[in-house]
Amino acid sequence: MPLRDSFPRIVLLASLIAATTSLGCAPGKYGRHTNELRQQSRDQANRFRAATEWDVAQQHFQTGDIKTSLEHAKNAAQLDPENPLSRVLLTRIYIEQADITRALAASQEGLDIEPNLADLWYYRGIAFERGQSLDNALECYQNAAELDPDNPHYALAGAELLIELNRLEDARRYLLGRSDQVRFTPVFRATLAHIELMEGRVPEAVALFREASILAPQDDSIREDLARTLILAQRFAEAEPLLAHLCTTTNGRMRRDLQVMHARCLLELERPVDARRIALALTSNNADRSDPDLWALVADVAITLGDNNLLFRAASRMIALNPSGDDGYIAMAIYHRREGNLDRAYASAQNAVARSNGDESASRLLELLRREREGS
C-alpha cells in the first residue's frame, strides 16, 4: 500500500484513540457520569448481596441458630445501610439474646431510616417490655397498631400490656376501638373474654370464648380456656366433651392437670366409675404419683364410691406428700369414721384442724365426730 494512501487512515485512527481517551479521563460531566454509573452498579450489587445475607439470616433465625443469624444480619445492614428490614431482624435477634440495650439501639436505627414501619415499633415495644419499661412499651405497641390497624398482633400486644398493668377497662376500650378486621379474629375474642373473666363476668367470658372457638375450631388452647370457664360457671355437661377431646390429643395425653380436671368434671356429672378409671390410670405412672391434687381426686372418687381401701391409700399418700396440709387428715378421718373407729377419726380431725389455717371444713368434721363420740 502506498504511503500517501495509508497516512490519512493512521491519522484518523490516532484521532479516534485520542478522543476516546479524553472522554474516559476528562474531569468533566462525562467522567462524573461514568463514576456515578459505577457507584450505582456497586450499590445495586451490595443491595443484592444484602438481600441474600438477610434471607440467610432469616432462615437461621427461624431454625434457632441465633449466632449465625446475627452474623448475616450484621452483614446485611452493612451492605445496605438504608434498608430498615435488617434492623428489624437485628432487633429480634438481640431480644432473643436478652440484650435489650442493643435491641433498642437497632430498632432506633431502623426508625431513623423509616419511622412508619410498624414492625420496628412492635419489636421495639417487646424490647421495652422485656426491660420492664412498660409505659414506653405501650406507646410502641400503640404506634404499631396505628400504622397497621388491621394487624391483630399489634393491637393485642397493647391490650395485653394494659391487662398486665391491671387497667382492665382501658384494655376493653382499646380493644373495642380496633378495626373490624381485628375484632373478628379469635385471639381478639379470647383476649376480651379474659378481661371479662378477670372482672368476674363469667357468663360473658363463656360467650366470648365460645365465639373464639367457633372462629378457630382447631385451636385447642381456646378450647381449654372455654372448658375451664364452663367449669367456673358449673356447666359441667358442656365442659366434659371439650375436656374429653383435649385429653385425647398428643399434648393432652401428657397433661396431668387436664386429666384430673376431666375426672373431676365426671364426678360432678355423677360418673364416678369413669372418674376412677382416669384417676387409677394416672396413679400407675411414677411421675404422677407425687402429685397431691391427683391423690385428692382419688380420695374424692373413693368417698363417692364407698371404696374404703382406695380411700385409705389416697389419704396415706396425701399425708406423706403434704404433711403440713389438712386434706390428707380430713380424708383419713373420714376413712376411720367409715371403719367405725371414732377415736382415730377424731384424732385425725384434730390434726386436720391444727393444719387448716382457718378452713371451716376440718372444724365442722371435728364437731360432727365429737357429737358422734358423745352419743355412742
Side-chain angles (χ1 to χ4, degrees):
M1 178 183 298
L3 182 60
R4 61 177 179 273
D5 293 333
S6 62
F7 180 77
R9 296 181 182 179
I10 293 173
V11 172
L12 178 60
L13 180 59
S15 300
L16 288 173
I17 292 174
T20 304
T21 303
S22 65
L23 284 174
C25 300
K29 63 178 181 179
Y30 296 109
R32 286 197 302 273
H33 181 65
T34 303
N35 289 336
E36 288 172 2
L37 289 175
R38 288 173 179 171
Q39 184 61 45
Q40 289 175 6
S41 178
R42 282 195 294 267
D43 290 344
Q44 186 174 0
N46 283 340
R47 284 194 292 271
F48 179 80
R49 290 169 57 199
T52 303
E53 291 284 341
W54 184 90
D55 189 52
V56 172
Q58 184 80 357
Q59 291 176 23
H60 282 289
F61 183 81
Q62 291 172 350
T63 60
D65 187 355
I66 303 300
K67 182 178 179 181
T68 306
S69 179
L70 176 59
E71 177 184 346
H72 288 283
K74 284 181 174 179
N75 291 341
Q78 185 175 4
L79 288 166
D80 190 4
E82 295 303 314
N83 190 337
L85 294 180
S86 58
R87 272 59 173 201
V88 174
L89 184 53
L90 281 170
T91 302
R92 298 180 67 186
I93 292 170
Y94 288 133
I95 289 172
E96 288 296 318
Q97 293 181 329
D99 192 338
I100 302 304
T101 301
R102 283 193 170 91
L104 292 173
S107 61
Q108 186 59 60
E109 286 179 9
L111 290 171
D112 290 342
I113 300 168
E114 177 48 77
N116 294 323
L117 186 58
D119 262 357
L120 278 169
W121 286 108
Y122 175 68
Y123 289 111
R124 184 172 175 81
I126 292 176
F128 272 126
E129 187 173 359
R130 297 279 177 88
Q132 294 301 304
S133 183
L134 301 186
D135 289 338
N136 285 328
L138 180 59
E139 182 182 356
C140 289
Y141 291 147
Q142 290 173 337
N143 286 343
E146 290 301 319
L147 289 168
D148 189 355
D150 292 335
N151 188 317
H153 298 293
Y154 302 153
L156 292 168
E160 288 170 357
L161 188 52
L162 286 168
I163 293 171
E164 185 179 339
L165 294 170
N166 203 30
R167 294 168 55 183
L168 300 182
E169 190 56 38
D170 289 341
R172 179 189 285 104
R173 285 198 299 267
Y174 181 72
L175 282 173
L176 293 176
R178 299 303 96 198
S179 69
D180 287 343
Q181 190 163 339
V182 171
R183 288 161 59 91
F184 288 98
T185 59
V187 68
F188 170 89
R189 300 284 168 166
T191 304
L192 200 56
H194 281 294
I195 295 174
E196 300 293 346
L197 198 56
M198 293 173 71
E199 294 195 329
R201 291 191 282 268
V202 177
E204 290 83 354
V206 167
L208 285 164
F209 277 131
R210 196 179 296 282
E211 290 174 5
S213 183
I214 292 171
L215 291 169
Q218 305 302 318
D219 191 329
D220 285 339
S221 64
I222 293 178
R223 285 186 180 181
E224 181 178 340
D225 285 335
L226 175 58
R228 290 180 182 276
T229 311
L230 285 168
I231 288 175
L232 283 176
Q234 297 188 343
R235 292 160 63 173
F236 301 106
E238 296 173 67
E240 192 278 326
L242 291 170
L243 290 169
H245 163 77
L246 291 169
C247 289
T248 61
T249 64
T250 302
N251 179 56
R253 286 194 292 269
M254 305 294 291
R255 294 270 306 277
R256 181 172 60 242
D257 63 321
L258 283 180
Q259 303 282 346
V260 170
M261 192 189 310
H262 185 208
R264 287 208 170 278
C265 193
L266 290 169
L267 271 180
E268 294 290 343
L269 293 172
E270 299 181 355
R271 293 169 57 185
V273 175
D274 291 331
R276 178 172 63 180
R277 174 181 52 79
I278 294 172
L280 293 181
L282 289 172
T283 61
S284 65
N285 188 332
N286 289 331
D288 295 333
R289 289 177 183 172
S290 60
D291 182 3
D293 291 338
L294 170 58
W295 289 104
L297 166 66
V298 174
D300 289 341
V301 168
I303 291 169
T304 303
L305 291 173
D307 188 338
N308 275 10
N309 290 332
L310 184 59
L311 177 56
F312 178 75
R313 180 186 172 197
S316 300
R317 192 65 180 155
M318 290 165 70
I319 292 170
L321 290 172
N322 186 20
S324 62
D326 63 342
D327 288 349
Y329 290 99
I330 291 174
M332 188 62 76
I334 295 172
Y335 164 75
H336 285 304
R337 179 173 179 267
R338 288 187 170 185
E339 289 291 304
N341 193 331
L342 294 179
D343 290 338
R344 287 191 175 183
Y346 190 80
S348 293
Q350 285 181 314
N351 284 327
V353 169
R355 295 163 172 79
S356 64
N357 293 323
D359 184 8
E360 295 183 359
S361 300
S363 299
R364 286 197 298 267
L365 178 58
L366 183 65
E367 178 60 22
L368 172 65
L369 291 169
R370 185 188 62 78
R371 291 199 302 268
E372 289 183 349
R373 288 176 74 205
E374 290 174 354
S376 61

